[in-house]
Amino acid sequence: MAETASMSRSTFLRRFTARTGTTAATLLTTIRMMVAADLLTNSDRSMSRIAGDVGYSSESAFSQAFRATVGLSPAQYRKNAVHHE
């Protein structure tokens, strides 16, 4: 993103945070988890496949990030989403 904006990495990150109120990494994680939540709700893909689909090389790393962002494990989220349809 910094290269596309023709800025150094540090300048881009500083300006991004100043303008959005969040870091680029936090925004990327949030977007990944939104996509994952949609896949958990609307597909029968495995946790491992969803992890890969949203950019995680391990199901464990994905599960940790999902729980930290959403407050539930991916399995709990899927179970709750199925019961609320």
Side-chain angles (χ1 to χ4, degrees), residues 28-43:
L28 177 58
T29 298
T30 300
I31 292 168
R32 285 177 169 174
M33 295 308 114
M34 290 171 63
V35 171
D38 182 61
L39 292 171
L40 288 164
T41 302
N42 298 307
S43 79

